[in-house]
Amino acid sequence: NAGVTQTPKFQVLKTGQSMTLQCAQDMNHNSMYWYRQDPGMGLRLIYYSASEGTTDKGEVPNGYNVSRLNKREFSLRLESAAPSQTSVYFCAGSLETSGRNTQYFGPGTRLTVL
Amino acid sequence: EDQVTQSPEALRLQEGESSSLNCSYTVSGLRGLFWYRQDPGKGPEFLFTLYSAGEEKEKERLKATLTKKESFLHITAPKPEDSATYLCAVRILSGGYNKLIFGAGTRLAVHP
């Protein structure tokens, strides 16, 4: 049982390049999330998926797209990377039951955009 | 505006020196308050969830409490391995989904 896994762990991009961050979970989560974490700020939600086949914008969605490929996998794509997207990205999953849930996080992807 | 504020930003303790971390919040319709621990280069690790004022949860040297305006994470006789950043988050219903709002965290360093 690996929990929530993310690839890659580190990535350096040049401005304008594109890439996809991968996330997978084996905890039977129905909901999955993408956050970014910047120094001095709390984790901020980029996109979330309440269930397979649905995705919605979070607090800071501009410059990103997502795909909920199946129940296990939720990817985040940067179509044209910008230096402002330099951050640490975390994927999380949760099982929504009876209005109570806990989000479990992956190990993160550290992205630098030059 | 929904907001979560953690204090202090950083805390340095001697091993065995007990203290408390604070998480104050101004949100409408609290649906749970969460504490996470984050080690450098790692993802947040779940510690506790509190749902109502007066509730308390304990795990080893950590104890979390909740009032209507804030939560405290009490650390009793800390050890160097308790050094980490502690994150607080509140869950609210926003735009039809359960949203977590995170504080910026408290960096705890425990020295032998």
Side-chain angles (χ1 to χ4, degrees):
Chain A
N1 190 337
V4 180
T5 58
Q6 293 182 236
T7 56
K9 289 191 188 326
F10 302 93
Q11 184 72 48
V12 178
L13 293 177
K14 294 181 179 177
T15 298
Q17 288 184 315
S18 62
M19 79 161 294
T20 299
L21 282 65
Q22 306 286 354
C23 173
Q25 53 90 7
D26 60 4
M27 300 175 75
N28 199 33
H29 292 154
N30 50 0
S31 298
M32 296 184 73
Y33 311 83
W34 277 105
Y35 291 88
R36 60 178 289 171
Q37 187 175 41
D38 301 294
M41 303 182 72
L43 285 151
R44 291 181 293 167
L45 183 66
I46 304 170
Y47 270 93
Y48 70 99
S49 170
S51 61
E52 185 179 350
T54 69
T55 60
D56 285 285
K57 295 178 181 179
E59 186 184 354
V60 287
N62 292 343
Y64 306 95
N65 283 301
V66 291
S67 295
R68 183 77 182 265
L69 305 171
N70 48 54
K71 187 172 184 177
R72 291 187 62 247
E73 298 172 289
F74 188 38
S75 62
L76 178 72
R77 182 160 179 83
L78 287 70
E79 290 291 351
S80 178
S84 60
Q85 294 178 304
T86 293
S87 188
V88 183
Y89 291 86
F90 290 100
C91 176
S94 69
L95 182 62
E96 296 278 341
T97 56
S98 303
R100 297 190 168 195
N101 73 337
T102 296
Q103 291 188 22
Y104 294 92
F105 287 80
T109 295
R110 187 174 297 273
L111 175 67
T112 301
V113 183
L114 302 174
Chain B
E1 181 186 355
D2 299 316
Q3 196 167 349
V4 177
T5 303
Q6 291 188 246
S7 61
E9 287 185 18
L11 181 63
R12 177 190 171 113
L13 298 174
Q14 289 299 122
E15 184 171 3
E17 179 186 2
S18 301
S19 188
S20 296
L21 313 182
N22 178 263
C23 172
S24 64
Y25 58 91
T26 52
V27 298
S28 52
L30 180 73
R31 290 178 155 223
L33 185 140
F34 297 77
W35 282 99
Y36 287 85
R37 169 191 171 127
Q38 186 175 23
D39 292 301
K42 302 283 182 66
E45 175 188 346
F46 171 71
L47 292 173
F48 304 110
T49 310
L50 303 166
Y51 287 102
S52 55
E55 190 175 355
E56 298 182 351
K57 294 272 180 76
E58 283 189 70
K59 180 180 179 180
E60 296 181 355
R61 294 176 293 282
L62 300 177
K63 178 179 173 181
T65 61
L66 181 65
T67 72
K68 289 187 177 180
K69 298 279 190 186
E70 59 192 348
S71 176
F72 291 94
L73 184 65
H74 307 278
I75 303 176
T76 302
K79 298 182 178 182
E81 54 260 43
D82 294 321
S83 298
T85 296
Y86 290 86
L87 304 176
C88 166
V90 298
R91 188 159 74 107
I92 62 170
L93 185 63
S94 175
Y97 77 100
N98 286 302
K99 171 183 176 181
L100 280 186
I101 302 174
F102 281 85
T106 293
R107 292 190 316 277
L108 174 66
V110 182
H111 296 269

